[in-house]
Amino acid sequence: MRTIWITLAMSLTTGLVLTSCTPSTDGDTTPTTTSDSTESGANASAGTMPSGLTGEIKIDGSSTVYPVMEALVDPNGEFGKANTGLQIVVGSSGTGAGMEKFARGESDIATASRPIKDSEIEALKAANIEFVEIPVAFDGLTVVVNKENTWVKQMTVDQLKAVWNKDSKIANWKEIDPSFPDMKLGLYGPTDAHGTYEFFNETINGDADNTRPDYQATADYSTMVPGIEGDKGAMGYLGLAYFEQNKDKMMAVPIVAPDGTPVTPSLDTVRNGTYLPLSRPLILYVNKKSLDKPEVKAFLMYVLKMGGPMVQETGYVPLPDAVAATAWDRVEKGLIGSVLKNFKPGDSMEDAMAMESN
Amino acid sequence: MSQFSTPQALAHIRRRKRKDSFFMVLMGGASLLAILILCTLLFKIGAEGMEFLKPNLFQNFPGSRPSTSGIKHAIFGTIYLMILTLLLTVPLGVFAALYLEEFQTRKNWFTNLINLNLANLSGVPSIVYGMLGLAIFVPFVAQLAGDPMKGKTLLAGSMTMAILVLPVVILVSQEALKAVPKAYRDGSLAMGATRWQTIRRVVLPSAMPGILTGVILSASRAIGETAPLIVVGAATLVNFVPQGVFDSYGVIPLQIFDWSQRPQEDFKSLAASTIIVLMTLLILLNSAALILRARNAKRV
C-alpha cells in the first residue's frame, strides 16, 4: 500500500514540479522596471503610471474590445509589471452577454462595441446599478474581398445594402454592378453574438437583425479569414483590427462616404472621422459603485491618459487627447448615464463626452 | 491424389487465403492509421510549439504579446481545479460504490435504477454538466461568498467538474470492489468483524489500486475538459494565481482554445506550446494509472 501512495503522490506532484522552477507567488516577482516607469511617466505628460495597486477588477463584454483590454492590462506590460498585486480578469462573452453580467453585478466594467440599448438601461435601473460611460478607442468596420478581386474599386452603402439586406437575392457580382464580372458571390460575416454584426446591420440595413440569412456566419474571425482567402468571389465584413492583422490575406474595399468620396479604412481615416459611416466608438461601462475602489479609478486613469500606444498596437484607433480628457472628467465627476446612446457616426465624440447625461 | 488437392479445392484454399491476408492488411492498416494520425499530430504540434517552449511560458501570465505571454495562471488553475475536484469526487464516489457493492448486494429495482443512471450519466456530453453548473453551482457559490462577482470561481468550477467525473469514479470503484474475492470478505466476517471493519481493513485496501487507477484517469479527463468550464466562467485573461476557492481562474485547455483562434500566427504557435505542456501532464497522469494497474495485476 505504502508504495502505491508514494507512486500516486509522485505522479500528482510531477505536475507541480513542472512549475516549481518558477516563483509560486506574485509577491516574489517584484517589478524590476522602476526605471521604465519613471521614464514613461516623464514622457506621458498626462499622468504617472499607477503602481502598487491591489484588489480586483472584473471586466467582461465585447470580444471586439477584448484585444484592447488585453493590451491595456497585459501582465507583462508596463502597467501589469507595476501592479502585480492587482487581480484583473477579462472575459469576452460578447457585448450583450457582458451587459447582462454587468446588470447582475458580476463585473466592475462592461465592455461594448456599441452604445448601450434602452432595454439594457432599464435592466440596470431595475438592478439599481448606476454606470459611467466612457469611450476607450475607435473601430472601423472593414468590408473585405479576396486578394485577387480586381474589379471592386469602391462600394456605396446602397450597394452594400442591396447585397446584405434580409430580402436580398443577389448571388453574383454581376448583379451588384453590370460592369463586374460573372462571378459567384460568397458572403462571410460574424454571427449575431458579435457587436460587429449589430453595428453593420444597423448602419447598412437599418436595424440590428436585418440581414440576409444565407451568408457564412462565423463565431470567430480566424475561421472567416481562410474562407475569404480561398474564395475568389468572397465579400465579408470584420473589425479594422482583425483586418490590419491579416492585411496580406485580403483586401479592404473603400466605402463611399456621405459626401461622395470613397475612403479606405485605416487608423488615420477612422480617427479623423472621414471613414464613414462604418466607424464606431468602443465603450466601457463602469459600475459607479466600483469607482469607489481606488484600483478601478486608477486603472481608468491609466486607460484614458496612457493607454493610447497600447490601443494603437492592437490595430484599433486611440482616442484623441481632447476626447480622453473629457472622458476622464466624466469619471472624476462620476457623471452617470449614457450620452453615446444617440451617438451617430460622424458626431463629435468630444462634444458628446462634455454633455450632461440624460 | 487426395480430394484436397484437386484444382478446385486448391483454388478455393487460395481464395480463402487471399481473403485472409486482405483482411489482415485492412485491419493492420486501420490500426496503423490511428498511430499515423497520432504521430502527425505530435510532430506538427512539436514542430510548431518548440518556439515558445521557454521559461517565459511557465513564469508569465497571458498578455497581448506572444513572446512574453505565459500560462502560469493556467498551470496553477488546472492543478488546483484537479485537486479540488478530486477532494469532492473521491469520497462521494467511493462511498457510493461501497454502498452499491457492499451494502446493497441484492439487486433490486432501486440499485438497478442507480446503475442504469450511472451508465447513462457517464455518457452525457460535458457541456450539459456545464449548464447544470451554471444554473446551480454558480449562484450557490455566489451566495456562499456573499458577492455576485464571486460566483464564477474555482469552487463552482470544481463542483461542476466533480459531478462530471463522479459517475466514472463510481463505476470504476464498483469494478474494483467486484474484483475483490468474496473469500476475503467471508473470512473477515467469519472472524467476527463488522461490515464496516471488513470494508475498511480488507476490501478497501485490496480494491485501492483499482480505485486509484480510476481516480487518476478521471482526473486526466477533468484536466482536458474545456466546454463546461467556459460555461461556468473559467477566464482566459487572468493575471494572478488563485489564492482561494473564491478566486477567478484559468485552465490550460481553455488557454489553448483562446490562443488558437487568434488571428496572429504567433499565438497559434503559443497554443501549440501549451498543448505540449497539457499533453505532458496527461501522459504523466496516465502512466501513473498504468503503473498502478500493472502492480495490481501482479499482486492478484
Side-chain angles (χ1 to χ4, degrees):
Chain A
M1 261 327 279
R2 181 179 296 262
T3 47
I4 285 160
W5 280 114
I6 291 169
T7 322
L8 176 69
M10 272 171 59
S11 64
L12 282 176
T13 45
T14 329
L16 288 159
V17 171
L18 261 179
T19 58
S20 63
C21 53
T22 73
S24 60
T25 58
D26 301 13
D28 299 352
T29 54
T30 35
T32 50
T33 54
T34 344
S35 57
D36 281 9
S37 45
T38 48
E39 191 184 31
S40 74
N43 288 345
S45 53
T48 42
M49 178 66 70
S51 62
L53 297 175
T54 55
E56 189 175 27
I57 307 178
K58 290 210 176 188
I59 304 169
D60 201 346
S62 166
S63 51
T64 307
V65 189
Y66 182 82
V68 177
M69 298 320 286
E70 185 182 55
L72 286 168
V73 309
D74 191 339
N76 315 311
E78 207 184 311
F79 176 80
K81 281 186 179 160
N83 297 285
T84 46
L86 179 65
Q87 303 191 337
I88 302 184
V89 185
V90 185
S92 58
S93 45
T95 301
M99 280 294 175
E100 281 171 32
K101 288 183 188 179
F102 188 62
R104 285 198 299 265
E106 290 176 14
S107 58
D108 296 300
I109 300 173
T111 60
S113 57
R114 53 153 174 80
I116 192 166
K117 291 178 183 169
D118 285 330
S119 59
E120 289 162 346
I121 292 180
E122 288 305 312
L124 286 169
K125 218 174 258 168
N128 250 336
I129 291 176
E130 294 178 322
F131 63 88
V132 174
E133 177 189 59
I134 51 169
V136 64
F138 289 97
D139 182 21
L141 211 150
T142 313
V143 176
V144 290
V145 293
N146 187 281
K147 274 243 124 169
E148 288 170 39
N149 185 322
T150 49
W151 54 91
V152 180
K153 299 282 178 265
Q154 62 182 63
M155 284 192 86
T156 63
V157 172
D158 286 338
Q159 280 176 324
L160 286 174
K161 184 174 181 178
V163 173
W164 287 94
N165 85 82
K166 68 175 188 292
D167 302 315
S168 169
K169 293 278 177 290
I170 293 181
N172 195 304
W173 281 93
K174 210 170 51 179
E175 298 167 50
I176 303 174
D177 188 321
S179 70
F180 290 163
D182 180 8
M183 169 73 74
K184 195 175 168 295
L185 180 65
L187 293 173
Y188 300 81
T191 60
D192 60 1
H194 290 260
T196 307
Y197 165 96
E198 293 178 3
F199 178 60
F200 182 83
N201 291 329
E202 261 166 27
T203 315
I204 300 297
N205 298 329
D207 79 90
D209 287 313
N210 183 342
T211 186
R212 62 189 291 172
D214 58 343
Y215 72 99
Q216 190 73 44
T218 45
D220 76 85
Y221 296 105
S222 65
T223 49
M224 191 159 137
V225 174
I228 293 170
E229 215 182 344
D231 180 352
K232 203 175 168 194
M235 183 202 298
Y237 63 92
L238 38 67
L240 179 63
Y242 286 97
F243 169 71
E244 289 279 333
Q245 280 153 2
N246 293 282
K247 256 184 181 156
D248 50 328
K249 295 174 185 150
M250 40 198 195
M251 208 160 65
V253 181
I255 304 295
V256 178
D259 66 2
T261 47
V263 181
T264 312
S266 72
L267 294 182
D268 285 335
T269 56
V270 170
R271 190 184 359 233
N272 67 24
T274 51
Y275 181 66
L276 293 171
L278 287 172
S279 61
R280 60 175 168 175
L282 304 178
I283 309 167
L284 304 185
Y285 290 92
V286 187
N287 191 325
K288 176 123 190 281
K289 234 186 267 166
S290 299
L291 280 181
D292 294 340
K293 299 201 266 181
E295 65 268 25
V296 173
K297 208 161 186 176
F299 174 67
L300 291 174
M301 195 275 281
Y302 151 74
V303 167
L304 287 170
K305 300 201 164 177
M306 279 165 275
M310 267 71 77
V311 170
Q312 179 126 26
E313 203 174 296
T314 58
Y316 290 96
V317 183
L319 300 175
D321 286 345
V323 173
T326 44
W328 172 240
D329 245 25
R330 293 189 78 79
V331 174
E332 276 208 305
K333 291 183 187 148
L335 288 181
I336 57 164
S338 173
V339 289
L340 296 176
K341 202 177 58 179
N342 302 315
F343 186 80
K344 290 274 165 299
D347 287 359
S348 156
M349 177 61 79
E350 198 187 339
D351 292 350
M353 278 295 106
M355 255 160 53
E356 280 298 321
S357 47
N358 40 27
Chain B
M1 204 197 215
S2 79
Q3 54 167 332
F4 294 114
S5 43
T6 59
Q8 294 95 327
L10 283 175
H12 182 64
I13 289 173
R14 264 202 306 278
R15 243 198 339 271
R16 284 176 55 218
K17 285 211 166 143
R18 255 208 311 279
K19 219 184 226 172
D20 188 67
S21 41
F22 171 73
F23 274 98
M24 197 187 78
V25 169
L26 195 71
M27 286 180 277
S31 47
L32 208 66
L33 188 70
I35 295 172
L36 210 69
I37 291 172
L38 184 68
C39 286
T40 321
L41 188 75
L42 286 176
F43 182 75
K44 190 172 177 296
I45 301 270
E48 214 186 321
M50 274 310 159
E51 188 189 346
F52 286 106
L53 208 58
K54 291 181 298 202
N56 260 351
L57 188 68
F58 303 99
Q59 286 167 345
N60 285 0
F61 295 108
S64 57
R65 294 184 192 84
S67 54
T68 52
S69 285
I71 52 169
K72 182 176 168 188
H73 73 297
I75 292 175
F76 281 96
T78 290
I79 291 172
Y80 289 166
L81 186 81
M82 185 183 76
I83 292 173
L84 259 179
T85 303
L86 291 184
L87 283 180
L88 293 167
T89 325
V90 173
L92 272 177
V94 173
F95 284 157
L98 280 174
Y99 174 76
L100 289 170
E101 287 305 313
E102 304 295 324
F103 289 93
Q104 282 290 350
T105 40
R106 213 171 297 139
K107 301 287 166 226
N108 56 26
W109 66 269
F110 180 62
T111 52
N112 281 342
L113 187 73
I114 293 180
N115 281 318
L116 185 73
N117 257 316
L118 286 175
N120 279 325
L121 279 178
S122 59
V124 169
S126 55
I127 186 78
V128 177
Y129 287 102
M131 298 310 291
L132 187 70
L134 181 66
I136 295 170
F137 296 139
V138 171
F140 171 74
V141 171
Q143 199 84 50
L144 209 64
D147 182 348
M149 281 193 207
K150 302 273 187 209
K152 295 186 168 177
T153 47
L154 202 51
L155 184 58
S158 308
M159 287 169 133
T160 309
M161 276 307 178
I163 55 158
L164 174 83
V165 296
L166 187 59
V168 181
V169 171
I170 296 177
L171 289 174
V172 175
S173 305
Q174 273 182 294
E175 291 308 316
L177 291 171
K178 272 181 198 152
V180 178
K182 190 161 184 306
Y184 285 21
R185 294 186 186 86
D186 293 345
S188 172
L189 291 170
M191 304 278 279
T194 62
R195 257 198 309 198
W196 173 238
Q197 284 171 324
T198 306
I199 287 168
R200 203 160 58 91
R201 299 191 186 146
V202 178
V203 180
L204 266 187
S206 43
M208 201 45 96
I211 294 177
L212 286 181
T213 310
V215 167
I216 295 175
L217 286 180
S218 48
S220 73
R221 173 163 185 213
I223 285 182
E225 278 295 347
T226 326
L229 289 178
I230 294 179
V231 181
V232 297
T236 49
L237 216 177
V238 181
N239 70 339
F240 54 92
V241 168
Q243 305 292 321
V245 294
F246 294 126
D247 274 354
S248 296
Y249 63 103
V251 289
I252 300 175
L254 185 59
Q255 206 60 48
I256 296 171
F257 175 67
D258 180 60
W259 278 339
S260 59
Q261 33 174 352
R262 298 300 181 86
Q264 302 97 319
E265 286 303 322
D266 274 357
F267 270 119
K268 288 177 182 150
S269 305
L270 203 53
S273 315
T274 312
I275 289 174
I276 296 177
V277 176
L278 181 64
M279 294 240 272
T280 312
L281 204 60
L282 287 175
I283 289 171
L284 283 173
L285 274 176
N286 288 353
S287 355
L290 271 181
I291 293 168
L292 275 175
R293 202 168 63 187
R295 286 173 157 280
N296 190 24
K298 232 178 286 163
R299 223 179 29 178
V300 175

